[in-house]
Amino acid sequence: MTETTVPKRKPGNSAFNQQRLSACQPIITPRTVFPVFIVIATIFAPLGGILFYFNEKALELSIDYTYCDTEAPFDFGSIPVKYVTDSMTKIKSIPENQRPKWKRSNITILPNNKTITQCSIRFHINKEMKPPVYLFYRLTNFFQNERGYARSLDTDQLKGKAVNKDSLKRGGCKSLALNHEESIIYPCGLLANSMFNDTIGNLTLIDLISSPNEITNITYNFTYNGIAPPGEAAKYKPTTYNIYQIRPPLNWEARYPDGRYTIDYPPIDPSKDEHFQVWMHTAGLPIFRKTYGINETTPLQVGYYQININTVFPVKGFGGTKSIVISKPSTVGGKHPFPGIAYMALGILCGIVGIIFAVESYYNSHRRRDRRYASMQINDSQKDIDSQ
Amino acid sequence: MNIRIKNSFTNRVNVISSTVKNLLNFIRGCKQKVSNRQFLIDPDRKEPILDTLTNSPYSSNSITSSRYTFYNFLPKQLYAQFSKGANLYFLFMALLQMIPDWSPTGQYTTIAPLSIFVTLSMAREGFDDYRRHKQDTTENNKECTVFCKDGSWKNEKWKDLKVGDLVSIKAQEWIPADLLLLSSKGENGVCYIETAALDGETNLKQRKALEETNSLLNSPESLSEFRGKLYAEGPNDDLYNFNGRLEFNDKNLTLTNNQILLRGTILRNTPEIYGLIIFTGEETKLRMNASKNIRTKAPNIQKIMNRIILITFIFVLLLSAVCTTMSSNWSKRIKANQWYSRGSNRDMVTVLFSFLIIFNTMIPISLYVTMEIIKLAQIYFINHDIRMYDEETDTPAESRTSTINEDLGQVGYIFSDKTGTLTENIMLFKKMSICGQKFLHDIDGNRIDSDELLKLFISSPISKKKTTIKSISSLKRSKNRSSSFSDDNNNNDNSDEIIPTTPITRQSSIKSNFSMIAPRPTTPSKSKKTLEDNSILNTFDLLTLIQYFSNSSFGQRAKFFLVAMSLCHTCVPEFDKESNDIIYQASSPDEFAIANASKDLGYAITDRSMGNVSLRIHNDIFNISDDENNNIFNQTFQILNLLEFSSKRKRMSVICRFPDGRICLFCKGADSVILERLRVIYEKDSNDLLFDIGSGIKTDEFLDKTVDLFPMLDDNNFLRQQTIQHIHEFAIEGLRTLLYAHRFIDEDEYISWNKLFQEASNSLINKCEKLEEIADLIERGLEITGATAIEDKLQYGVPESIDKLRLAGIKIWMLTGDKRETAINIGHSCSLIKDNSIKIIIDQKNISNLKIINNTPKDDKSHIVIIIDGETLTTIEQDDELMECFLDLGIKCDALICCRASPSQKAFMVRSIREKLKDSVVTLAIGDGANDIAMIQEAHVGIGITGREGLQAARSSDYSISQFRFLENLLFVHGRWSYVRVSKFALGTLYKCMCFYLTQGIFQIFSGFSGISLYEQWTLAAYNTLFSSLPVMVVGIFEKDLNYDTLMTIPRLYKTGQENTEFNVKVFLSWMFGAIYHAIALTSVPILIHGYFHGYEIRANGSPQIFELGLVIYTCVVFVVTIHISYLQSHNWTILSHFTSFLMIFGWFAFQIMYSYAYPIESKSAIYDVRGVFQRVGNRFNFWCVVLLAVSFALIPHYFLKTLVNFFEPTVVEFYQEAEKDQKYLEKLIECENVDFYEYKNDKNDELHGTKFTTDQLPFQDDQIFMSPEKRSSSPLALYQNPLTPITDVGFDEVTTRND
């Protein structure tokens, strides 16, 4: 049956079928690899330089005021160096009168006439900060990303729905849905309950020359609009609960008369309260900063400023800290020296490796290859003997 | 419909009852007894015959090769699917995940892909089985003519045939069940069957009905009167033996295999036969031989894969456990002081399961599914490789399975069939030796002009003394002789100078013939040898010579030999009217070749009937048309007795009466046997017999005239030596040799012998042995007539392939049904046995010494070949200790030849080795016939040759190729590539999962071990399919660590797979450390930058949310994984790698952009705030800086390390990768490798060619290497100790005496 027809089953002789697709088949030897390292070096080192340069342009001042209520004197005293991070100057180089200082005072706040500690902090801005200038609060050791905690909220409730008790207890808020009186908490859940509630005032300039101990009426104002990520507001709507039906979260009770909502002290409108939105936008890491205020218009002039903070947010219990951060980012982002340094270091290392490889491959790569073959043969026969 | 249900119902009841029975038997601890079969024959019977032991009907004649029925498919398949560890694991995880609230990663992200995958593979299995069902149905519904009690015939389907039915089979029909041949319309109750589908032999087999039944049961009428009782052995798988007895007509008739027609054979050349069904369905020998439980083949790599997956699983468990412990620690230590998350107390069980769900994906579902795709692609390349395409038969390579591609790259043992696999399965009559002269049978060869021929012939070696033979006797003789030589013949020692006068055309034509015979370059390059070979004459020259010297002693002898050739076989001539030609039906391809050759030479038998053979002789074959009457003689020889061939006798004889009344015995057989039976030669003995074969040839006066020309023809001893020398030469060339001898018998002697013979052939007990004894009496005192050599043509390139395979570290075992001599010859010619190999022949006699041999330390320089036969193997099988010994020995030796092996023995060998080596070495079986099926299924890899014997083997094989030599391409290139690809794919897949999911684990440190996921659930679920699948797939499909040609030329590179250097726990761990390092680098850089470095935060407006942090890390992972797999771990960067890498990275960003715009605002979980994030993030320069930095931190050190390792300790593969870049250097290397390659051959040049012939006959205990030194030196065969000792010094006389 061998017909002399055209073979029907002959495979096509294409490069694909025959696995002859043109390909680059790199080998990894110093000889072939050194250009790669050199190229990396020539890219990374300058890139690191650029990042380093821009990082110098970013300014940031951060003051940890966790222990203000215990360590700060009742009149202004220097803040221990460990609590201050100033990217603009080294603290020791600052004249005594311009060093960061703090003081605590007890004040009473409405509506329950509760006495709390107010912390006043004074610090010097050495370089003018061009807008936008951010005011952050920074918490450490606070696990907003803890699974049970982060999910402890009720999206329906925040969307304005009057969710009933049963649904709340079954939903995300199950760990904090009702208070001890069995009434609905609004906004429910651990996340809302633990909202950062220190009140941070505006920056007030102190004229060090004329009245070094007085605050002037020149203030640098932060707005609280536009601090939440865009689109965040869309997740929230004013609640449709009757205000007598609901109670504020346990941790908020101090802000409301007898811990209840009233006409004068209505529940928050989550769609307007950007501090709330920022808080609910959980941080991914246990060390985080959240925007408290922003000034996108006026530059922050060089000068000595005071800021007052009503401290009510407990952090010492879980070993955390809280700080305020005043920051002016550069065009490439916030203050951070690491990328610039890392790129430069990486670039230099790659350069050195590249040069070593280049030098190595310049000398006798062929002889090495022959040596390798010989050693391979010996290995082989060794193996054979072993296997016998 | 009703009937079908009923049928299936009863079937099932039967199945259940038999299962219960089996179970009971199993519990009782005894095997189900195989009953001997006995039943009454009665065509009127209506009830089915019952088994005498179980009292139930015999099994039906339907066969099932399908594995499932409609009802049990689903449960069986589900069971099968989920008995795969991986699937079960994923099912468990999917169920865990579906428990509400437990899963941090969504509820249905595991079950959805899992069910798709499982459904797909079940569908595939179902489709396969559907096809099997269809095949079975066709087979079972074939029709067959069955005898009805009323004397008529009706057609019945095969499946309805029952034991005891009488059937009629016509020519070209398949035999439907195992039948007892009752009568045949062929001559003398003979019928022919083709057994190719059963045992792989293409030649027709003869079966003969018993005289009694044949004469009495040859019509339907007589059949209806047929009564009797049949006794037979129980169903078994022995194709070559049958024991039974038929009580018929008050006689007790012995049944042998000669009366049995087996299912799976075809009736040929016989008009019709009647038969009685003895075995049906699954009890037929065909089915008994088929492997019952077809092993589901799994790649060898799977074991390591399972181990690796187990390691990963343990790692997952460990990681989960550690995280859970840390979690409980964390909540105790920190949470006590934590006012903000009070109330949400962690339930440790939930936490544990959350972690399990997070980490379980480190073992990817896609590993198994994508692996299938990759293997399909590999198959595509195998099927489309043009270098494995055979133009001649228009067959490309074909793969029938996809599961075991990588096994092809790890083969350690090859079990090869001989016929049709190593050889082409065409027997060609190649050479003959008459009167000490060799002739080449070459139909197309040029004839020499007769004058030239005469001149040449006068000076040819026949008339000279051969210098290589120095036996004392011949030396003596040559002295005596030289005085009577004519002048011409005194020059015999210089005859070499005359030979070159041979016309050039002729020489070249013969040369080309030689290259066909022995394609490998092993023909020794000694000039003398070549000249002698080239000076060989054509058989047509022989005819010319016969014409010229018709009446000389030479002519007489030559003619006599041709007559012997044409008489001494069992072929049946048939006159084909169409082609006006005679066609022979032979029982063996050798005989067929001989019969045809003698026809070519003008000695054709035209008729064989009633003990007579008609021989047509052309006097002058070249002038057929001239004068018919003068040219052609028709002579009739009476065949008095036929002494049949048996493997034990190794010879066959024909006793015939010449037209002039003389009785002559022709005997042909293996040289070793015939030599023993030659007449003892005395000093002054000369041959005084005249070879007058009858009328037309006058002989009386020739002697005086031609005595000068052929002086030595009278010297029997010299003739013998010449012939033996020739046989020996033929055998070295790998030809199958037969020695012919004859003897004239006195009338008286014949009559008395014949009496004995008739008695023996009539006896019922031990008939065979008796006949052999009797035959032995007459086959004595023979005289050499001549010798023939038949070429079992090797496939092109087989010896080279075998050499290369050996260099690649593969051991080759040849398992063949052929007889030992043939097997050894082929072993020689296909380079399986080297000329300096030590052959150990194990047979019944020396089994007991197996242990001694086994304990003898092997000298690593020697090449040892073991030769064993099926019968001996059966004995060994029965003794566990011996078997153990034998296997040990088999593993130690370099090659093994097993001859006379039955299909089940072949499979048994494969299985024993597989089990002995605990599946650690991949075995490969290659064959072409149905007799190889069992072996093919038993081995790890089964390869079928799509050759001349049909497709049975190919169909049940895993891969089929058309030529043995394509095994090189299949193993060295495709196998190795598949192995490398699958390894890299598997490692890459595990790597990418480990790397990605480990970032989750690292992140747990920063989230209080709460089991929160860093990534949004669908993004997370899409990782395996959308953002990382293609690069590994491309590597799995297109990776080439070395090029086609490099792999083909350097066999040692194949060892990568055998030694499993690409895929083992060590390599896996190195990949995993890479993954762990990458995960750490990719997580730590973003985390450092987002607030963990002096509290600085690179993000201008506050800290990132968890999703954004995840986005950064995810992006880094996509980059690193893509680059690492497509570029750093791959050696073959094609356009496809670029394209897929681009696709992955681009796809990731496209997905994020889409997500950023289209993600629902109202998401249930507020943690992952996806909408609009990427828009903002992607615009930030620092985002890209962080990504680049993290990626560089992960990859550059890895790359650097790899360079260093490669620099200081390169692997063989890396070395050749480098060499490939430098073509000249590579060529030099190949040369170096080729020196190794011809290592054996170089040795051979210094060696004389005597080893083969003599050592063959040595019992192994005389083999030197296994003897103590003292024994060695005292052994009479001590001269074999050094292979360089010229063996041919052993004179012919010594050889014969030793044999006696």
Side-chain angles (χ1 to χ4, degrees), chain B residues 993-1146:
Chain B
C993 290
M994 177 65 90
C995 178
F996 180 64
Y997 295 108
L998 203 60
T999 57
Q1000 292 261 46
I1002 295 167
F1003 178 69
Q1004 296 306 317
I1005 301 170
F1006 302 98
S1007 74
F1009 297 98
S1010 58
I1012 199 164
S1013 165
L1014 182 55
Y1015 312 107
E1016 191 270 334
Q1017 54 164 317
W1018 289 108
T1019 330
L1020 179 73
Y1023 172 75
N1024 260 330
T1025 43
L1026 292 185
F1027 310 126
S1028 65
S1029 57
L1030 289 184
V1032 272
M1033 258 173 85
V1034 166
V1035 166
I1037 296 172
F1038 298 101
E1039 172 68 353
K1040 291 199 281 189
D1041 60 340
L1042 289 160
N1043 286 332
Y1044 205 121
D1045 295 316
T1046 319
L1047 291 173
M1048 283 296 280
T1049 41
I1050 301 174
R1052 74 135 68 136
L1053 288 169
Y1054 187 72
K1055 289 183 179 166
T1056 322
Q1058 286 168 340
E1059 288 160 9
N1060 210 350
T1061 52
E1062 294 282 320
F1063 193 71
N1064 51 43
V1065 174
K1066 210 175 124 198
V1067 177
F1068 165 73
L1069 288 181
S1070 80
W1071 276 75
M1072 287 308 111
F1073 281 123
I1076 291 169
Y1077 169 70
H1078 289 175
I1080 291 173
L1082 296 184
T1083 331
S1084 57
V1085 169
I1087 284 177
L1088 267 181
I1089 276 170
H1090 288 296
Y1092 265 85
F1093 191 76
H1094 283 292
Y1096 287 125
E1097 165 68 59
I1098 200 156
R1099 200 172 174 273
N1101 48 353
S1103 296
Q1105 211 203 3
I1106 200 163
F1107 174 75
E1108 194 182 320
L1109 186 70
L1111 179 72
V1112 177
I1113 297 176
Y1114 206 136
T1115 312
C1116 296
V1117 170
V1118 170
F1119 270 107
V1120 165
V1121 165
T1122 308
I1123 296 172
H1124 188 69
I1125 290 175
S1126 298
Y1127 296 108
L1128 300 189
Q1129 292 289 358
S1130 156
H1131 180 63
N1132 198 41
W1133 302 356
T1134 59
I1135 181 92
L1136 282 154
S1137 5
H1138 306 317
F1139 178 67
T1140 48
S1141 317
F1142 168 76
L1143 214 61
M1144 286 297 102
I1145 290 166
F1146 175 80

Side-chain angles (χ1 to χ4, degrees), chain A residues 7 17-19 24-26 28 138 143 145-147 232 235 250 281-282 289 317 334 343 372 377, chain B residues 337 340 342 346 354 380 384 389 981 1006 1040 1052 1095 1098 1103 1105 1131 1133 1169 1185 1206 1218 1221:
Chain A
N17 277 354
Q18 302 312 320
Q19 309 193 58
C24 169
Q25 300 188 323
I28 301 181
R138 180 165 170 271
F143 288 81
N145 58 9
E146 208 260 335
R147 190 169 160 219
E232 197 68 8
K235 289 184 189 168
L250 307 179
H281 194 73
T282 51
R289 53 173 72 181
Y343 271 115
R372 276 189 198 175
Q377 296 288 22
Chain B
N337 305 319
Y340 59 86
R342 71 201 157 125
R346 289 182 188 174
S354 308
Y380 176 86
H384 285 81
Y389 167 76
R981 285 167 181 175
F1006 302 98
K1040 291 199 281 189
R1052 74 135 68 136
I1098 200 156
S1103 296
Q1105 211 203 3
H1131 180 63
W1133 302 356
D1169 197 15
C1185 282
N1206 185 4
E1218 204 181 328
K1221 295 277 155 192

Side-chain angles (χ1 to χ4, degrees), chain B residues 575 581-582 598-599 602-606 614-618 632-635:
Chain B
F575 194 72
D581 200 3
I582 296 163
S598 55
K599 188 177 87 182
Y603 285 71
I605 60 167
T606 50
S614 308
L615 191 63
R616 188 177 68 194
I617 303 172
H618 289 275
I632 293 179
F633 302 96
N634 274 314
Q635 291 196 325

Side-chain angles (χ1 to χ4, degrees), chain A residues 2 7-13 16-30 33 36-37 40 44 47 51 60 85 87 134 136 138 141-143 145-151 153 155-156 159 174-176 190 193-194 229-230 232 234-235 250-251 281-289 291 313-315 317-318 329 332-339 342-343 346 350 353 357 360 366 368-370 372-373 376-377 380 383-384 388, chain B residues 101-104 330 335 337-344 346 354 380-381 383-386 389 391 394-396 398 860 974 977 981 1003 1006-1008 1010-1012 1038 1040 1043 1052 1059 1087-1093 1095-1106 1109 1131-1134 1136 1161-1164 1166-1167 1169 1176 1181-1182 1185 1188-1189 1192-1193 1196 1199-1200 1202-1204 1206-1207 1210 1212 1215-1218 1220-1222 1225 1229 1232-1233:
Chain A
T2 44
K8 284 170 198 146
R9 302 173 63 195
K10 185 171 184 171
N13 194 5
F16 179 81
N17 277 354
Q18 302 312 320
Q19 309 193 58
R20 280 189 270 104
L21 287 179
S22 63
C24 169
Q25 300 188 323
I27 44 171
I28 301 181
T29 56
V33 157
V36 178
F37 278 94
I40 291 174
F44 278 18
L47 183 64
L51 285 173
E60 192 167 294
T85 320
S87 75
Y134 291 90
F136 297 112
R138 180 165 170 271
N141 215 11
F142 193 101
F143 288 81
N145 58 9
E146 208 260 335
R147 190 169 160 219
Y149 172 82
R151 299 202 303 183
L153 53 88
T155 42
D156 286 344
K159 284 296 280 184
K174 62 181 166 232
S175 41
L176 197 63
L190 297 169
N193 177 51
S194 60
E232 197 68 8
K235 289 184 189 168
L250 307 179
N251 209 37
H281 194 73
T282 51
L285 289 167
I287 298 174
F288 60 88
R289 53 173 72 181
T291 323
F313 192 73
V315 290
F318 54 86
V332 297
K335 178 84 188 169
H336 211 305
F338 179 73
Y343 271 115
L346 211 54
C350 284
V353 169
F357 280 176
E360 207 289 331
H366 279 277
R368 198 180 60 242
R369 188 173 60 181
D370 293 340
R372 276 189 198 175
Y373 186 72
M376 214 165 66
Q377 296 288 22
D380 257 24
K383 230 183 261 169
D384 284 349
Q388 290 290 322
Chain B
D101 237 31
W102 275 17
S103 164
W330 186 88
K335 225 168 177 184
N337 305 319
Q338 222 175 13
W339 57 269
Y340 59 86
S341 66
R342 71 201 157 125
S344 72
R346 289 182 188 174
S354 308
Y380 176 86
F381 287 131
N383 293 351
H384 285 81
D385 188 352
I386 200 157
Y389 167 76
E391 294 272 357
D394 187 28
T395 29
E398 218 175 311
D860 54 319
H974 290 284
W977 274 349
R981 285 167 181 175
F1003 178 69
F1006 302 98
S1007 74
S1010 58
I1012 199 164
F1038 298 101
K1040 291 199 281 189
N1043 286 332
R1052 74 135 68 136
E1059 288 160 9
I1087 284 177
L1088 267 181
I1089 276 170
H1090 288 296
Y1092 265 85
F1093 191 76
Y1096 287 125
E1097 165 68 59
I1098 200 156
R1099 200 172 174 273
N1101 48 353
S1103 296
Q1105 211 203 3
I1106 200 163
L1109 186 70
H1131 180 63
N1132 198 41
W1133 302 356
T1134 59
L1136 282 154
I1161 302 170
E1162 310 191 25
S1163 120
K1164 268 282 165 202
I1167 322 171
D1169 197 15
R1176 295 198 296 276
F1181 179 65
N1182 59 38
C1185 282
L1188 181 61
L1189 189 64
S1192 311
F1193 261 117
I1196 292 175
Y1199 195 42
F1200 174 67
K1202 212 177 157 186
T1203 317
L1204 282 190
N1206 185 4
F1207 179 66
V1212 179
F1215 177 81
Y1216 279 98
Q1217 283 177 351
E1218 204 181 328
E1220 271 182 355
K1221 295 277 155 192
D1222 186 349
Y1225 185 66
L1229 283 184
C1232 284
E1233 301 282 330

Side-chain angles (χ1 to χ4, degrees), chain B residues 273-337:
Chain B
I273 59 122
Y274 296 146
L276 170 74
I277 296 181
I278 306 180
F279 299 117
T280 47
E282 299 296 333
E283 289 176 343
T284 55
K285 300 207 174 190
L286 173 74
R287 295 297 296 169
M288 298 291 285
N289 255 303
S291 282
K292 277 288 146 54
N293 309 316
I294 296 164
R295 238 162 42 85
T296 36
K297 292 187 177 180
N300 211 35
I301 260 189
Q302 188 132 44
K303 265 184 300 164
I304 302 159
M305 185 97 92
N306 287 343
R307 198 178 305 154
I308 279 172
I309 282 174
L310 192 71
I311 294 173
T312 320
F313 179 64
I314 291 170
F315 181 75
V316 167
L317 284 185
L318 219 65
L319 199 62
S320 307
V322 166
C323 282
T324 312
T325 325
M326 295 300 278
S327 179
S328 98
N329 237 351
W330 186 88
S331 60
K332 264 184 216 146
R333 188 164 51 85
I334 296 177
K335 225 168 177 184
N337 305 319

Side-chain angles (χ1 to χ4, degrees), chain B residues 636-870:
Chain B
T636 306
F637 291 79
Q638 191 187 354
I639 304 287
L640 298 171
N641 302 86
L642 185 75
L643 309 176
E644 279 175 33
F645 177 87
S646 78
S647 55
K648 201 173 160 194
R649 276 160 48 82
K650 294 181 191 164
R651 62 183 184 272
M652 70 155 295
S653 302
V654 168
I655 301 175
C656 53
R657 190 184 289 278
F658 282 15
D660 62 2
R662 280 183 297 166
I663 297 172
C664 183
L665 173 133
F666 291 115
C667 181
K668 81 165 188 234
D671 43 10
S672 54
V673 190
I674 303 286
L675 286 177
E676 287 175 2
R677 327 201 142 258
L678 291 181
R679 191 164 58 93
V680 183
I681 300 172
Y682 302 102
E683 263 305 298
K684 294 218 166 162
D685 181 42
S686 72
N687 184 11
D688 53 356
L689 288 169
L690 295 181
F691 299 96
D692 182 3
I693 54 165
S695 61
I697 303 165
K698 298 267 186 291
T699 57
D700 297 331
E701 63 266 37
F702 86 96
L703 275 169
D704 308 321
K705 264 197 274 178
T706 51
V707 72
D708 284 345
L709 261 178
F710 307 100
M712 285 188 295
L713 286 183
D714 298 331
D715 180 355
N716 267 311
N717 205 356
F718 175 72
L719 266 185
R720 279 186 190 183
Q721 282 168 23
Q722 277 288 359
T723 313
I724 289 163
Q725 171 75 16
H726 287 159
I727 283 196
H728 181 186
E729 283 168 19
F730 297 159
I732 285 174
E733 287 163 22
L735 303 175
R736 298 152 76 114
T737 54
L738 283 173
L739 192 58
Y740 281 75
H742 65 269
R743 178 188 163 200
F744 287 100
I745 307 170
D746 295 341
E747 196 71 39
D748 298 343
E749 188 191 353
Y750 175 73
I751 289 168
S752 56
W753 176 83
N754 193 33
K755 215 182 264 169
L756 291 173
F757 183 79
Q758 293 306 332
E759 268 171 31
S761 56
N762 287 336
S763 75
L764 287 172
I765 323 147
N766 291 336
K767 184 172 153 186
C768 287
E769 284 85 20
K770 277 186 189 162
L771 280 179
E772 274 172 28
E773 261 173 51
I774 305 295
D776 194 46
L777 291 177
I778 198 103
E779 292 166 330
R780 279 176 188 281
L782 304 174
E783 202 59 59
I784 284 188
T785 324
T788 58
I790 292 163
E791 183 189 8
D792 187 1
K793 206 175 163 203
L794 277 188
Q795 284 186 14
Y796 178 73
V798 165
E800 288 90 339
S801 290
I802 286 185
D803 275 334
K804 273 195 185 173
L805 290 170
R806 186 198 350 260
L807 273 182
I810 301 173
K811 287 187 177 174
I812 301 167
W813 289 25
M814 186 169 93
L815 312 178
T816 170
D818 256 314
K819 55 182 196 275
R820 188 196 287 166
E821 287 72 23
T822 324
I824 291 175
N825 279 351
I826 290 296
H828 272 281
S829 58
C830 72
S831 178
L832 201 58
I833 307 176
K834 297 290 175 185
D835 283 0
N836 56 358
S837 304
I838 294 160
K839 288 189 283 294
I840 304 173
I841 297 175
I842 300 173
D843 55 25
Q844 297 286 7
K845 281 175 272 171
N846 56 32
I847 285 180
S848 45
N849 294 7
L850 212 52
K851 233 182 264 173
I852 305 167
I853 312 172
N854 191 26
N855 292 337
T856 318
K858 183 180 182 288
D859 170 5
D860 54 319
K861 285 248 172 63
S862 53
H863 183 260
I864 295 178
V865 184
I866 292 179
I867 295 138
I868 190 168
D869 56 84

